[in-house]
Coordinates of all heavy atoms in Angstrom, one line a residue:
M1 N 0.8 -1.2 0.0 CA 0.0 0.0 0.0 C 0.9 1.2 0.0 O 1.8 1.3 0.8 CB -0.9 0.0 1.2 CG -2.0 0.9 1.2 SD -3.4 0.6 2.2 CE -2.7 0.3 3.8
T2 N 0.6 2.2 -0.9 CA 1.4 3.4 -1.0 C 0.9 4.5 -0.1 O -0.3 4.5 0.3 CB 1.4 3.9 -2.5 OG1 0.1 4.2 -2.9 CG2 2.0 2.8 -3.4
K3 N 1.8 5.4 0.2 CA 1.4 6.6 1.0 C 0.8 7.6 0.0 O 1.5 8.0 -1.0 CB 2.7 7.1 1.6 CG 2.5 8.4 2.4 CD 1.9 8.1 3.8 CE 2.0 9.4 4.6 NZ 1.2 9.3 5.8
L4 N -0.4 8.1 0.3 CA -1.1 9.1 -0.5 C -0.6 10.5 -0.1 O -0.5 10.7 1.1 CB -2.6 8.9 -0.5 CG -3.1 7.6 -1.0 CD1 -4.7 7.6 -0.9 CD2 -2.7 7.4 -2.4
K5 N -0.5 11.3 -1.0 CA 0.0 12.7 -0.7 C -1.2 13.7 -0.6 O -0.9 14.8 -0.3 CB 1.0 13.1 -1.8 CG 2.2 12.2 -1.9 CD 3.2 12.6 -2.9 CE 4.4 11.7 -2.8 NZ 5.4 12.0 -3.7
I6 N -2.4 13.2 -0.8 CA -3.6 14.1 -0.7 C -4.4 13.5 0.5 O -4.6 12.3 0.6 CB -4.4 14.1 -2.0 CG1 -3.6 14.9 -3.0 CG2 -5.7 14.8 -1.7 CD1 -4.2 14.9 -4.4
K7 N -4.8 14.4 1.4 CA -5.5 14.0 2.6 C -6.9 14.7 2.6 O -7.1 15.6 1.9 CB -4.7 14.4 3.9 CG -3.4 13.7 4.1 CD -2.8 14.1 5.4 CE -1.5 13.4 5.6 NZ -0.9 13.8 6.9
T8 N -7.7 14.2 3.5 CA -9.1 14.7 3.7 C -8.9 16.2 4.2 O -8.1 16.4 5.1 CB -9.8 13.9 4.8 OG1 -9.9 12.6 4.3 CG2 -11.2 14.5 4.9
G9 N -9.6 17.1 3.6 CA -9.6 18.5 4.0 C -8.7 19.4 3.2 O -8.7 20.6 3.2
D10 N -7.9 18.7 2.3 CA -7.0 19.5 1.4 C -7.8 20.1 0.3 O -8.9 19.6 -0.1 CB -6.0 18.6 0.7 CG -4.9 18.1 1.7 OD1 -4.7 18.8 2.7 OD2 -4.1 17.2 1.3
T11 N -7.4 21.3 -0.2 CA -8.0 21.9 -1.3 C -7.2 21.5 -2.6 O -6.0 21.6 -2.6 CB -8.0 23.5 -1.2 OG1 -8.6 23.8 0.0 CG2 -8.7 24.1 -2.3
V12 N -7.9 21.0 -3.6 CA -7.3 20.4 -4.7 C -7.9 21.0 -6.0 O -9.0 21.6 -6.0 CB -7.4 18.9 -4.8 CG1 -6.6 18.2 -3.7 CG2 -8.9 18.4 -4.8
K13 N -7.1 20.8 -7.1 CA -7.6 21.2 -8.4 C -7.5 20.0 -9.3 O -6.6 19.2 -9.3 CB -6.7 22.3 -9.0 CG -7.1 22.9 -10.3 CD -6.3 24.1 -10.7 CE -6.8 24.8 -11.9 NZ -6.1 26.0 -12.2
V14 N -8.6 19.8 -10.2 CA -8.6 18.7 -11.1 C -7.7 19.1 -12.3 O -7.9 20.1 -12.9 CB -10.0 18.4 -11.6 CG1 -10.1 17.2 -12.5 CG2 -10.9 18.1 -10.4
I15 N -6.8 18.2 -12.6 CA -5.8 18.5 -13.7 C -6.0 17.7 -15.0 O -5.4 17.9 -16.0 CB -4.3 18.3 -13.2 CG1 -4.1 16.9 -12.7 CG2 -4.0 19.3 -12.2 CD1 -2.7 16.6 -12.4
A16 N -7.0 16.7 -14.9 CA -7.3 15.9 -16.1 C -8.7 15.4 -16.0 O -9.3 15.3 -14.9 CB -6.3 14.7 -16.2
G17 N -9.3 15.1 -17.2 CA -10.6 14.6 -17.2 C -11.7 15.6 -17.6 O -11.4 16.8 -17.9
D18 N -13.0 15.2 -17.4 CA -14.1 16.1 -17.8 C -14.2 17.3 -16.9 O -14.7 18.4 -17.4 CB -15.4 15.3 -17.6 CG -15.6 14.2 -18.6 OD1 -14.9 14.2 -19.7 OD2 -16.4 13.3 -18.4
H19 N -13.7 17.3 -15.7 CA -13.8 18.4 -14.8 C -12.5 19.2 -14.6 O -12.3 19.8 -13.6 CB -14.3 17.9 -13.4 CG -15.6 17.1 -13.5 ND1 -16.8 17.7 -13.7 CD2 -15.8 15.8 -13.6 CE1 -17.8 16.8 -13.8 NE2 -17.2 15.6 -13.7
K20 N -11.7 19.1 -15.6 CA -10.4 19.8 -15.6 C -10.5 21.3 -15.3 O -11.4 21.9 -15.9 CB -9.7 19.6 -16.9 CG -8.3 20.2 -17.0 CD -7.6 19.9 -18.3 CE -6.2 20.5 -18.3 NZ -5.6 20.1 -19.6
G21 N -9.7 21.8 -14.3 CA -9.8 23.2 -13.9 C -10.7 23.4 -12.7 O -10.6 24.5 -12.1
S22 N -11.5 22.5 -12.3 CA -12.4 22.7 -11.2 C -11.6 22.5 -9.9 O -10.6 21.8 -9.8 CB -13.5 21.6 -11.2 OG -14.2 21.7 -12.4
E23 N -12.0 23.3 -8.8 CA -11.4 23.2 -7.5 C -12.4 22.8 -6.5 O -13.6 23.1 -6.6 CB -10.8 24.6 -7.2 CG -9.7 25.0 -8.1 CD -9.2 26.4 -7.8 OE1 -9.6 27.0 -6.8 OE2 -8.4 26.9 -8.6
G24 N -11.9 22.2 -5.4 CA -12.8 21.8 -4.4 C -12.0 21.2 -3.2 O -10.8 21.0 -3.2
K25 N -12.8 20.9 -2.1 CA -12.2 20.4 -0.9 C -12.4 18.9 -0.9 O -13.5 18.4 -1.2 CB -12.8 21.0 0.3 CG -12.1 20.9 1.6 CD -12.7 21.8 2.6 CE -11.7 22.0 3.7 NZ -12.1 23.0 4.7
V26 N -11.3 18.1 -0.5 CA -11.4 16.7 -0.4 C -12.3 16.3 0.8 O -12.0 16.7 1.9 CB -10.0 16.0 -0.3 CG1 -10.1 14.5 -0.1 CG2 -9.2 16.4 -1.5
Q27 N -13.3 15.5 0.6 CA -14.2 15.1 1.7 C -13.8 13.7 2.2 O -13.9 13.5 3.4 CB -15.7 15.0 1.2 CG -16.2 16.4 0.9 CD -17.7 16.2 0.4 OE1 -18.1 15.2 -0.2 NE2 -18.4 17.3 0.6
K28 N -13.4 12.8 1.3 CA -13.0 11.5 1.8 C -12.0 10.9 0.8 O -12.0 11.2 -0.4 CB -14.3 10.6 1.8 CG -14.1 9.2 2.4 CD -15.4 8.5 2.6 CE -15.1 7.2 3.3 NZ -16.3 6.5 3.6
V29 N -11.1 10.1 1.3 CA -10.0 9.5 0.5 C -10.2 7.9 0.7 O -10.3 7.4 1.8 CB -8.6 9.9 0.9 CG1 -7.6 9.2 0.2 CG2 -8.5 11.4 0.8
F30 N -10.2 7.2 -0.4 CA -10.2 5.8 -0.4 C -8.8 5.3 -0.7 O -8.4 5.3 -1.9 CB -11.2 5.2 -1.4 CG -12.6 5.7 -1.2 CD1 -13.1 6.7 -2.0 CD2 -13.4 5.2 -0.2 CE1 -14.4 7.1 -1.9 CE2 -14.7 5.6 0.0 CZ -15.2 6.6 -0.8
I31 N -8.1 4.9 0.3 CA -6.6 4.5 0.2 C -6.4 3.3 -0.7 O -5.6 3.3 -1.6 CB -6.0 4.3 1.6 CG1 -6.1 5.6 2.4 CG2 -4.6 3.8 1.5 CD1 -5.8 5.4 3.9
G32 N -7.2 2.3 -0.5 CA -7.0 1.0 -1.3 C -7.3 1.2 -2.8 O -6.7 0.6 -3.6
K33 N -8.2 2.1 -3.1 CA -8.6 2.4 -4.5 C -7.9 3.5 -5.2 O -8.0 3.8 -6.4 CB -10.1 2.6 -4.6 CG -10.9 1.4 -4.2 CD -12.4 1.7 -4.4 CE -13.3 0.6 -4.0 NZ -14.7 0.9 -4.2
N34 N -7.1 4.3 -4.4 CA -6.4 5.5 -4.8 C -7.4 6.5 -5.4 O -7.1 7.1 -6.5 CB -5.3 5.2 -5.9 CG -4.1 4.6 -5.2 OD1 -3.9 4.7 -4.0 ND2 -3.3 3.9 -6.0
K35 N -8.5 6.7 -4.8 CA -9.5 7.6 -5.2 C -9.9 8.6 -4.1 O -9.7 8.3 -2.9 CB -10.8 6.9 -5.8 CG -10.5 6.1 -7.0 CD -11.7 5.5 -7.6 CE -11.4 4.9 -9.0 NZ -12.6 4.8 -9.8
A36 N -10.6 9.7 -4.5 CA -11.0 10.6 -3.5 C -12.3 11.2 -3.9 O -12.6 11.3 -5.1 CB -10.0 11.8 -3.3
I37 N -13.1 11.6 -2.9 CA -14.4 12.4 -3.2 C -14.1 13.8 -3.0 O -13.7 14.2 -1.9 CB -15.6 11.8 -2.4 CG1 -15.9 10.4 -2.8 CG2 -16.8 12.8 -2.5 CD1 -17.0 9.8 -2.0
V38 N -14.3 14.7 -4.0 CA -14.1 16.1 -3.9 C -15.4 16.8 -4.0 O -16.3 16.5 -4.8 CB -13.2 16.6 -5.0 CG1 -12.8 18.1 -4.9 CG2 -11.9 15.8 -5.0
E39 N -15.6 17.8 -3.1 CA -16.8 18.5 -2.9 C -17.2 19.2 -4.2 O -16.5 20.0 -4.8 CB -16.6 19.6 -1.8 CG -17.8 20.4 -1.4 CD -17.4 21.4 -0.3 OE1 -16.8 20.9 0.7 OE2 -17.6 22.6 -0.5
G40 N -18.4 18.9 -4.7 CA -18.9 19.6 -5.9 C -18.4 19.2 -7.3 O -18.7 19.8 -8.3
I41 N -17.5 18.2 -7.3 CA -16.9 17.7 -8.5 C -17.3 16.3 -8.8 O -17.4 15.5 -7.9 CB -15.3 17.8 -8.4 CG1 -15.0 19.3 -8.3 CG2 -14.7 17.3 -9.7 CD1 -13.5 19.6 -8.0
N42 N -17.5 15.9 -10.1 CA -17.8 14.6 -10.6 C -19.2 14.2 -10.0 O -19.3 13.1 -9.5 CB -16.7 13.6 -10.2 CG -16.8 12.4 -11.1 OD1 -17.3 12.4 -12.1 ND2 -16.1 11.3 -10.6
M43 N -20.2 15.1 -10.2 CA -21.5 14.8 -9.7 C -22.2 13.8 -10.7 O -22.1 13.9 -11.9 CB -22.4 16.1 -9.7 CG -21.8 17.1 -8.7 SD -21.8 16.7 -7.0 CE -23.6 16.9 -6.7
V44 N -22.9 12.8 -10.1 CA -23.6 11.8 -10.8 C -25.0 11.7 -10.3 O -25.3 12.1 -9.2 CB -22.9 10.4 -10.8 CG1 -21.6 10.4 -11.4 CG2 -22.8 9.9 -9.3
K45 N -25.9 11.2 -11.2 CA -27.3 11.1 -10.8 C -27.5 9.6 -10.5 O -27.2 8.7 -11.2 CB -28.2 11.5 -11.9 CG -28.2 13.0 -12.2 CD -29.2 13.4 -13.3 CE -29.0 14.8 -13.7 NZ -29.7 15.7 -12.9
K46 N -28.1 9.4 -9.3 CA -28.3 8.0 -8.8 C -29.8 7.8 -8.6 O -30.5 8.7 -8.0 CB -27.6 7.8 -7.5 CG -27.7 6.4 -6.9 CD -26.7 6.1 -5.9 CE -26.9 4.8 -5.2 NZ -26.7 3.7 -6.1
H47 N -30.4 6.8 -9.1 CA -31.8 6.5 -9.0 C -32.0 5.8 -7.7 O -31.5 4.7 -7.5 CB -32.3 5.6 -10.2 CG -32.2 6.3 -11.5 ND1 -33.3 6.9 -12.1 CD2 -31.1 6.5 -12.3 CE1 -32.9 7.5 -13.2 NE2 -31.6 7.2 -13.4
M48 N -32.8 6.4 -6.8 CA -33.0 5.8 -5.4 C -34.4 5.2 -5.3 O -35.3 5.9 -5.7 CB -32.8 6.9 -4.4 CG -31.4 7.5 -4.3 SD -30.1 6.4 -3.9 CE -30.4 6.3 -2.1
K49 N -34.4 4.0 -4.8 CA -35.6 3.4 -4.5 C -36.2 3.9 -3.2 O -35.5 4.2 -2.3 CB -35.3 1.9 -4.3 CG -36.5 1.0 -4.2 CD -36.0 -0.5 -4.2 CE -37.2 -1.4 -4.1 NZ -36.7 -2.8 -4.1
P50 N -37.5 4.1 -3.1 CA -38.1 4.6 -1.8 C -37.7 3.7 -0.6 O -37.7 2.5 -0.7 CB -39.6 4.6 -2.1 CG -39.7 4.6 -3.5 CD -38.6 3.9 -4.1
S51 N -37.3 4.3 0.5 CA -37.0 3.6 1.7 C -37.4 4.3 2.9 O -38.0 5.4 2.8 CB -35.5 3.3 1.7 OG -34.8 4.6 1.9
A52 N -37.1 3.9 4.1 CA -37.5 4.6 5.3 C -36.8 5.9 5.4 O -37.4 6.9 5.9 CB -37.2 3.7 6.5
Q53 N -35.5 5.9 5.0 CA -34.7 7.2 5.1 C -35.1 8.1 4.0 O -35.0 9.4 4.2 CB -33.3 6.9 5.0 CG -32.7 6.1 6.2 CD -31.3 5.6 5.9 OE1 -30.9 5.4 4.8 NE2 -30.6 5.3 7.0
N54 N -35.5 7.6 2.9 CA -35.9 8.4 1.7 C -37.2 8.0 1.2 O -37.3 7.2 0.2 CB -34.8 8.4 0.6 CG -35.0 9.3 -0.5 OD1 -35.9 10.2 -0.4 ND2 -34.2 9.2 -1.5
P55 N -38.4 8.3 1.8 CA -39.7 7.8 1.4 C -40.1 8.2 0.0 O -40.9 7.5 -0.6 CB -40.6 8.3 2.5 CG -39.9 9.5 3.1 CD -38.4 9.2 2.9
Q56 N -39.6 9.3 -0.5 CA -40.0 9.8 -1.8 C -39.3 9.0 -2.9 O -39.9 8.7 -3.9 CB -39.6 11.3 -1.9 CG -40.1 11.9 -3.2 CD -41.6 12.0 -3.3 OE1 -42.3 12.1 -2.3 NE2 -42.2 11.9 -4.5
G57 N -38.0 8.7 -2.7 CA -37.3 8.0 -3.7 C -36.9 9.0 -4.8 O -36.8 10.2 -4.6
G58 N -36.6 8.6 -6.0 CA -36.4 9.5 -7.1 C -34.9 9.5 -7.5 O -34.1 8.7 -7.1
I59 N -34.6 10.6 -8.2 CA -33.2 10.8 -8.7 C -32.5 11.7 -7.8 O -32.9 12.8 -7.5 CB -33.2 11.3 -10.2 CG1 -33.9 10.3 -11.1 CG2 -31.8 11.6 -10.7 CD1 -34.2 10.8 -12.5
V60 N -31.3 11.3 -7.3 CA -30.5 12.1 -6.4 C -29.1 12.3 -7.0 O -28.5 11.5 -7.6 CB -30.3 11.3 -5.0 CG1 -29.4 12.1 -4.1 CG2 -31.6 11.0 -4.4
E61 N -28.6 13.6 -6.9 CA -27.3 13.9 -7.3 C -26.3 13.8 -6.2 O -26.5 14.2 -5.1 CB -27.2 15.3 -7.9 CG -27.6 15.5 -9.3 CD -27.1 16.8 -9.9 OE1 -26.0 17.2 -9.7 OE2 -28.0 17.4 -10.6
K62 N -25.2 13.0 -6.4 CA -24.2 12.9 -5.4 C -22.8 12.9 -6.1 O -22.7 12.7 -7.3 CB -24.4 11.6 -4.6 CG -24.4 10.3 -5.4 CD -24.7 9.1 -4.6 CE -23.4 8.6 -4.0 NZ -23.6 7.3 -3.2
E63 N -21.8 13.1 -5.2 CA -20.4 13.1 -5.8 C -19.9 11.7 -5.9 O -20.1 10.9 -5.1 CB -19.5 13.9 -4.8 CG -19.7 15.4 -4.8 CD -20.2 15.9 -3.5 OE1 -20.5 15.1 -2.6 OE2 -20.3 17.1 -3.3
A64 N -19.2 11.5 -7.0 CA -18.5 10.2 -7.3 C -17.0 10.4 -7.1 O -16.5 11.5 -7.1 CB -18.8 9.7 -8.7
A65 N -16.3 9.3 -6.8 CA -14.9 9.3 -6.6 C -14.2 9.7 -7.9 O -14.6 9.3 -9.0 CB -14.4 8.0 -6.0
I66 N -13.0 10.3 -7.7 CA -12.1 10.7 -8.8 C -10.7 10.2 -8.5 O -10.3 10.2 -7.3 CB -12.2 12.2 -9.1 CG1 -11.4 12.5 -10.3 CG2 -11.7 13.0 -7.9 CD1 -11.7 14.0 -10.8
H67 N -10.0 9.7 -9.4 CA -8.7 9.1 -9.2 C -7.7 10.2 -8.7 O -7.7 11.3 -9.1 CB -8.1 8.4 -10.4 CG -7.1 7.4 -10.1 ND1 -5.7 7.7 -10.0 CD2 -7.2 6.1 -9.8 CE1 -5.1 6.7 -9.7 NE2 -5.9 5.6 -9.6
I68 N -6.8 9.8 -7.7 CA -5.9 10.7 -7.1 C -4.9 11.3 -8.2 O -4.5 12.5 -8.0 CB -5.0 10.0 -6.0 CG1 -6.0 9.5 -4.9 CG2 -3.9 10.8 -5.5 CD1 -6.4 10.6 -3.9
S69 N -4.6 10.6 -9.2 CA -3.6 11.0 -10.2 C -4.2 12.2 -11.0 O -3.5 12.9 -11.7 CB -3.3 9.9 -11.2 OG -4.4 9.5 -11.9
N70 N -5.5 12.4 -11.0 CA -6.2 13.5 -11.7 C -6.3 14.8 -10.8 O -6.9 15.7 -11.2 CB -7.5 13.1 -12.2 CG -7.5 12.0 -13.2 OD1 -6.5 11.9 -13.9 ND2 -8.5 11.3 -13.4
L71 N -5.8 14.7 -9.6 CA -5.9 15.8 -8.6 C -4.5 16.4 -8.3 O -3.5 15.7 -8.3 CB -6.5 15.4 -7.3 CG -7.9 14.8 -7.4 CD1 -8.3 14.3 -6.1 CD2 -8.9 15.8 -7.9
S72 N -4.4 17.7 -8.1 CA -3.2 18.4 -7.7 C -3.5 19.3 -6.5 O -4.5 20.0 -6.5 CB -2.6 19.2 -8.9 OG -1.4 19.8 -8.5
L73 N -2.6 19.3 -5.6 CA -2.8 20.1 -4.4 C -2.7 21.5 -4.6 O -1.8 21.9 -5.4 CB -1.8 19.6 -3.3 CG -2.0 20.1 -1.9 CD1 -3.3 19.5 -1.3 CD2 -0.9 19.8 -1.0
L74 N -3.5 22.4 -4.0 CA -3.4 23.8 -4.1 C -2.7 24.4 -2.9 O -3.0 24.0 -1.7 CB -4.7 24.5 -4.3 CG -5.4 24.3 -5.6 CD1 -6.8 24.9 -5.5 CD2 -4.7 25.0 -6.7
T75 N -1.7 25.3 -3.1 CA -1.1 25.9 -1.9 C -1.9 27.0 -1.4 O -3.0 27.3 -1.9 CB 0.3 26.5 -2.4 OG1 0.1 27.5 -3.4 CG2 1.2 25.4 -2.9
S76 N -1.5 27.7 -0.3 CA -2.2 28.8 0.3 C -2.4 30.0 -0.7 O -3.3 30.8 -0.6 CB -1.6 29.2 1.6 OG -0.2 29.5 1.4
K77 N -1.4 30.0 -1.6 CA -1.5 31.1 -2.6 C -2.4 30.8 -3.8 O -2.6 31.6 -4.7 CB -0.1 31.4 -3.1 CG 0.9 31.9 -2.0 CD 2.3 32.0 -2.6 CE 3.2 32.3 -1.4 NZ 4.6 32.1 -1.8
G78 N -2.9 29.6 -3.9 CA -3.8 29.2 -4.9 C -3.1 28.6 -6.1 O -3.8 28.5 -7.2
E79 N -1.9 28.2 -6.1 CA -1.2 27.6 -7.2 C -1.0 26.1 -7.0 O -0.9 25.6 -5.8 CB 0.2 28.3 -7.4 CG 1.1 28.3 -6.2 CD 2.3 29.1 -6.4 OE1 2.4 29.9 -7.4 OE2 3.2 28.9 -5.6
T80 N -1.0 25.3 -8.1 CA -0.9 23.9 -7.9 C 0.5 23.5 -7.6 O 1.5 24.2 -8.1 CB -1.3 23.2 -9.2 OG1 -0.6 23.6 -10.3 CG2 -2.8 23.4 -9.5
T81 N 0.7 22.4 -6.9 CA 2.1 22.0 -6.6 C 2.1 20.5 -6.4 O 1.1 19.9 -6.2 CB 2.6 22.7 -5.3 OG1 3.9 22.3 -5.0 CG2 1.7 22.3 -4.1
R82 N 3.3 20.0 -6.5 CA 3.5 18.6 -6.2 C 3.9 18.5 -4.7 O 4.3 19.5 -4.1 CB 4.7 18.0 -7.0 CG 4.2 17.8 -8.5 CD 5.3 17.2 -9.3 NE 6.5 18.1 -9.3 CZ 7.8 17.6 -9.4 NH1 8.0 16.4 -9.4 NH2 8.8 18.5 -9.4
V83 N 3.7 17.3 -4.1 CA 3.9 17.2 -2.7 C 5.1 16.2 -2.4 O 5.2 15.2 -3.1 CB 2.6 16.6 -2.0 CG1 2.8 16.4 -0.5 CG2 1.5 17.5 -2.2
G84 N 5.9 16.6 -1.5 CA 7.0 15.7 -1.0 C 7.0 15.5 0.5 O 6.2 16.2 1.2
F85 N 7.8 14.6 0.9 CA 7.9 14.4 2.4 C 9.3 14.7 2.8 O 10.2 14.4 2.1 CB 7.5 12.9 2.7 CG 6.1 12.6 2.5 CD1 5.7 11.9 1.4 CD2 5.1 12.9 3.5 CE1 4.3 11.6 1.2 CE2 3.8 12.6 3.3 CZ 3.4 11.9 2.1
K86 N 9.4 15.2 4.0 CA 10.7 15.4 4.6 C 10.6 15.3 6.2 O 9.5 15.4 6.7 CB 11.4 16.8 4.2 CG 10.6 18.0 4.7 CD 11.3 19.3 4.2 CE 10.6 20.5 4.6 NZ 11.2 21.7 4.1
I87 N 11.7 15.0 6.8 CA 11.8 14.9 8.2 C 12.2 16.2 8.9 O 13.2 16.8 8.5 CB 12.8 13.8 8.6 CG1 12.6 12.5 7.8 CG2 12.8 13.6 10.1 CD1 11.5 11.6 8.4
E88 N 11.3 16.7 9.8 CA 11.7 17.9 10.5 C 11.7 17.5 12.0 O 10.6 17.2 12.6 CB 10.7 19.0 10.3 CG 10.9 19.8 9.0 CD 10.1 21.0 8.9 OE1 9.3 21.3 9.8 OE2 10.3 21.8 7.9
G89 N 12.8 17.5 12.6 CA 12.9 17.1 14.0 C 12.7 15.6 14.0 O 13.5 14.8 13.5
D90 N 11.7 15.2 14.7 CA 11.3 13.7 14.7 C 10.0 13.4 14.0 O 9.5 12.4 14.2 CB 11.3 13.3 16.2 CG 10.3 14.0 17.0 OD1 9.8 15.1 16.5 OD2 9.9 13.5 18.1
K91 N 9.5 14.4 13.2 CA 8.2 14.2 12.5 C 8.4 14.2 11.0 O 9.3 14.9 10.5 CB 7.2 15.3 12.9 CG 6.6 15.2 14.2 CD 5.5 16.3 14.4 CE 4.3 15.6 14.8 NZ 3.2 16.5 14.9
K92 N 7.6 13.4 10.3 CA 7.6 13.4 8.9 C 6.5 14.3 8.4 O 5.3 14.2 8.8 CB 7.3 12.0 8.4 CG 7.4 11.8 6.9 CD 7.2 10.3 6.6 CE 7.4 10.0 5.1 NZ 7.2 8.6 4.8
V93 N 6.8 15.4 7.6 CA 5.8 16.4 7.2 C 5.8 16.4 5.7 O 6.7 16.1 5.0 CB 6.2 17.8 7.8 CG1 6.0 17.8 9.3 CG2 7.6 18.2 7.4
R94 N 4.6 16.9 5.2 CA 4.4 17.2 3.8 C 4.9 18.6 3.5 O 4.7 19.5 4.3 CB 3.0 17.0 3.4 CG 2.4 15.7 3.6 CD 1.0 15.6 3.1 NE 0.1 16.6 3.7 CZ -1.1 17.0 3.1 NH1 -1.5 16.5 2.0 NH2 -1.8 17.9 3.7
F95 N 5.5 18.7 2.3 CA 5.9 20.1 1.9 C 5.6 20.3 0.4 O 5.6 19.3 -0.4 CB 7.4 20.4 2.2 CG 8.4 19.7 1.3 CD1 9.0 20.3 0.2 CD2 8.7 18.3 1.5 CE1 9.9 19.7 -0.6 CE2 9.6 17.7 0.7 CZ 10.2 18.3 -0.3
S96 N 5.5 21.5 0.0 CA 5.2 21.9 -1.4 C 6.6 21.9 -2.1 O 7.5 22.6 -1.7 CB 4.6 23.3 -1.4 OG 4.7 23.8 -2.7
K97 N 6.6 21.2 -3.2 CA 7.9 21.1 -4.0 C 8.1 22.4 -4.8 O 9.3 22.7 -5.1 CB 7.9 20.0 -4.9 CG 8.0 18.6 -4.2 CD 8.4 17.5 -5.1 CE 8.7 16.3 -4.3 NZ 9.2 15.2 -5.2
K98 N 7.1 23.2 -5.0 CA 7.2 24.5 -5.7 C 7.8 25.6 -4.8 O 8.7 26.3 -5.2 CB 5.9 24.9 -6.3 CG 6.0 26.0 -7.4 CD 4.6 26.2 -8.0 CE 4.4 25.5 -9.3 NZ 3.2 25.8 -10.0
S99 N 7.2 25.7 -3.7 CA 7.6 26.8 -2.8 C 8.4 26.4 -1.6 O 8.9 27.2 -0.8 CB 6.3 27.6 -2.3 OG 5.5 26.7 -1.5
N100 N 8.5 25.1 -1.4 CA 9.3 24.5 -0.3 C 8.7 24.8 1.1 O 9.4 24.7 2.1 CB 10.8 24.9 -0.4 CG 11.7 23.8 -0.1 OD1 11.3 22.6 0.0 ND2 13.0 24.1 0.1
E101 N 7.4 25.2 1.2 CA 6.8 25.4 2.5 C 6.1 24.2 3.0 O 5.6 23.4 2.2 CB 5.8 26.6 2.4 CG 4.6 26.3 1.6 CD 3.7 27.5 1.5 OE1 4.2 28.6 1.3 OE2 2.4 27.3 1.5
V102 N 6.0 24.0 4.3 CA 5.4 22.9 4.9 C 3.9 23.1 4.8 O 3.3 24.1 5.0 CB 5.8 22.8 6.4 CG1 5.0 21.7 7.1 CG2 7.3 22.5 6.5
I103 N 3.2 22.0 4.4 CA 1.7 22.0 4.3 C 1.1 21.6 5.6 O 1.4 20.6 6.1 CB 1.3 21.1 3.1 CG1 2.0 21.5 1.8 CG2 -0.2 21.0 3.0 CD1 1.8 20.5 0.7

């Protein structure tokens, strides 16, 4: 299992695919599948059967997972960057390879 460089809560930009150029916040990361759910991106329509939680049923829009390779982390300045790891003291931290600042 590989170490993912994007975590829940990060702001990312889509760099490939139908939603290229869109930005959003990561809501959930699926480590085994190398995918993430990003807020407001890759919306799909799902046909829901009526149930106790959803008595009306019908068509519901929800976010679908997008592959991690199609996402790039945004820095505090709003520019995309690659992520690296380095040891500071006794902790392993993520840093921006473009600006060399700790994320």
Side-chain angles (χ1 to χ4, degrees):
M1 194 158 49
T2 60
K3 177 81 172 166
L4 296 181
K5 298 180 177 183
I6 293 177
K7 294 182 176 182
T8 303
D10 287 345
T11 304
V12 294
K13 184 174 188 175
V14 180
I15 57 172
D18 292 340
H19 304 282
K20 183 176 181 177
S22 303
E23 298 176 6
K25 197 170 197 172
V26 177
Q27 292 179 335
K28 189 170 183 178
V29 176
F30 301 105
I31 297 170
K33 296 181 178 181
N34 287 339
K35 292 188 174 201
I37 293 180
V38 182
E39 183 180 309
I41 297 175
N42 203 18
M43 300 294 283
V44 295
K45 292 183 188 276
K46 183 164 175 65
H47 296 262
M48 299 294 286
K49 188 175 182 180
S51 65
Q53 293 170 338
N54 188 7
Q56 186 66 30
I59 300 171
V60 178
E61 273 198 43
K62 60 183 269 184
E63 288 117 353
I66 187 168
H67 201 271
I68 295 285
S69 65
N70 294 337
L71 301 175
S72 181
L73 190 70
L74 286 175
T75 61
S76 57
K77 298 173 187 169
E79 55 189 14
T80 59
T81 184
R82 291 181 297 146
V83 178
F85 290 100
K86 64 181 174 183
I87 309 278
E88 279 192 356
D90 59 343
K91 283 188 129 183
K92 187 177 183 180
V93 294
R94 296 184 305 158
F95 74 98
S96 164
K97 289 194 171 184
K98 193 176 263 186
S99 63
N100 222 9
E101 69 182 40
V102 175
I103 300 171

